[in-house]
Amino acid sequence: MKSFTNINPVFSEEIQILETTDPAHADNINAAPMQLLANTQVNKDTIEALKTSTGNTPDMAYDPEGIYKIGDYCIYNNKLYKCISAIDEAEEWDASHWEETTITKEILILNNKEVEVVDPTIATEVGFAADAKLTGDALREVSANIAQKANASTVNTNLTNLSNRIASIENIQKNYVTGNQSGTVKFGTLLAKRKDQATVVFPKKFTKTPSISLSATSSSSGNTFLRATYASVNASSFVIQIENIDGALGITDVSVTWNAWV
């Protein structure tokens, strides 16, 4: 017996096996095991390559002049990234808008993803807001079920109701967003060691609780003494809390710019 290593394995769909009339030569006996080993090596190399593959192609490179929506992909420094915060205006690379990933990871996520489908004949605004997804396949399935379970007259009536319900849900969808929203709240003058707060109602509801960033400014030189925080965040609103931590001076024309995203 001796060791065997194939340093240049080539995959084959066909494996040669011994016939009863074949001579019992080592070359004949080893042919099938050697090809099986080569197939295993090729498969292993392919799997290992996929685990770290970025799918790097020239058209996937990050474009500082481009815009990206959540879920888009790009290549940066030869690594694959997925957009987690929509980019509506051209910008240089900002890592906070991206999450490093691999092709294999994204395939596994897709394979394990469970999508909640809402029956449009019974869906409510509350149900839709809970991250439900209304799909064309769901509509076709509901239509088919209606047709199978009712006579022609009932089908026509139910399809009309279905059409009206779809229009209603589409109207609901217009009141929800999954991207970015921003605005500015003016607080006026904030005296020394004083606090103030304001409730911000989002122009459109988010489909889930968003992330928030704040930036406080004023017309005086006391911006460094302004401390802006937020609380009570949900899909519809949040509370801005602003504080002047200076013990002696008031700060005029205080305003807080907010940005929210999911």
Side-chain angles (χ1 to χ4, degrees):
M1 300 290 286
K2 66 177 182 178
S3 298
F4 169 74
T5 301
N6 190 339
I7 59 174
N8 294 301
V10 177
F11 187 88
S12 174
E13 297 283 353
E14 182 180 89
I15 303 295
Q16 296 290 325
I17 61 174
L18 284 175
E19 295 279 5
T20 56
T21 57
D22 288 335
H25 294 160
D27 288 345
N28 290 336
I29 296 173
N30 290 332
M34 289 169 65
Q35 186 57 61
L36 289 173
L37 175 62
N39 287 3
T40 300
Q41 287 178 276
V42 171
N43 289 338
K44 178 180 182 295
D45 291 343
T46 302
I47 291 170
E48 292 300 321
L50 278 173
K51 285 181 180 179
T52 56
S53 175
T54 64
N56 195 345
T57 59
D59 60 335
M60 282 284 287
Y62 178 71
D63 181 6
E65 299 298 324
I67 59 174
Y68 295 86
K69 63 181 181 297
I70 293 175
D72 283 349
Y73 297 91
C74 81
I75 300 294
Y76 185 74
N77 283 346
N78 207 34
K79 294 181 180 179
L80 179 65
Y81 289 87
K82 180 166 64 175
C83 184
I84 58 174
S85 177
I87 301 173
D88 299 320
E89 297 181 0
E91 65 175 26
E92 293 300 322
W93 176 259
D94 182 346
S96 67
H97 293 164
W98 298 91
E99 177 183 73
E100 185 178 342
T101 186
T102 65
I103 291 176
T104 302
K105 180 179 178 180
E106 294 305 307
I107 291 174
L108 291 174
I109 291 174
L110 290 174
N111 286 341
N112 295 326
K113 188 174 183 180
E114 295 182 2
V115 179
E116 180 184 358
V117 178
V118 173
D119 182 342
T121 60
I122 60 173
T124 65
E125 181 171 351
V126 174
F128 176 78
D131 250 355
K133 305 294 188 297
L134 180 62
T135 66
D137 287 340
L139 297 181
R140 284 188 286 274
E141 182 179 350
V142 172
S143 300
N145 288 341
I146 292 174
Q148 291 173 0
K149 296 179 181 178
N151 56 40
S153 175
T154 304
V155 167
N156 290 334
T157 300
N158 285 337
L159 288 179
T160 298
N161 292 339
L162 175 59
S163 177
N164 292 337
R165 191 60 186 145
I166 292 172
S168 175
I169 291 176
E170 287 176 342
N171 186 56
I172 291 171
Q173 287 176 312
K174 294 177 183 178
N175 295 322
Y176 288 84
V177 294
T178 57
N180 289 50
Q181 296 188 76
S182 60
T184 299
V185 178
K186 296 183 178 181
F187 288 90
T189 299
L190 199 59
L191 300 178
K193 291 295 184 180
R194 295 296 297 272
K195 299 179 180 179
D196 200 356
Q197 67 177 36
T199 298
V200 175
V201 178
F202 297 124
K204 288 189 176 183
K205 294 179 181 178
F206 285 101
T207 55
K208 59 183 179 181
T209 300
S211 298
I212 305 289
S213 66
L214 303 175
S215 176
T217 59
S218 71
S219 61
S220 62
S221 59
N223 291 351
T224 57
F225 295 102
L226 291 174
R227 178 178 295 160
T229 57
Y230 59 87
S232 305
V233 185
N234 56 47
S236 302
S237 64
F238 75 103
V239 175
I240 292 177
Q241 298 171 331
I242 185 72
E243 179 183 3
N244 177 3
I245 61 175
D246 192 316
L249 299 176
I251 303 176
T252 58
D253 296 325
V254 175
S255 64
V256 176
T257 298
W258 59 270
N259 185 45
W261 69 93
V262 294

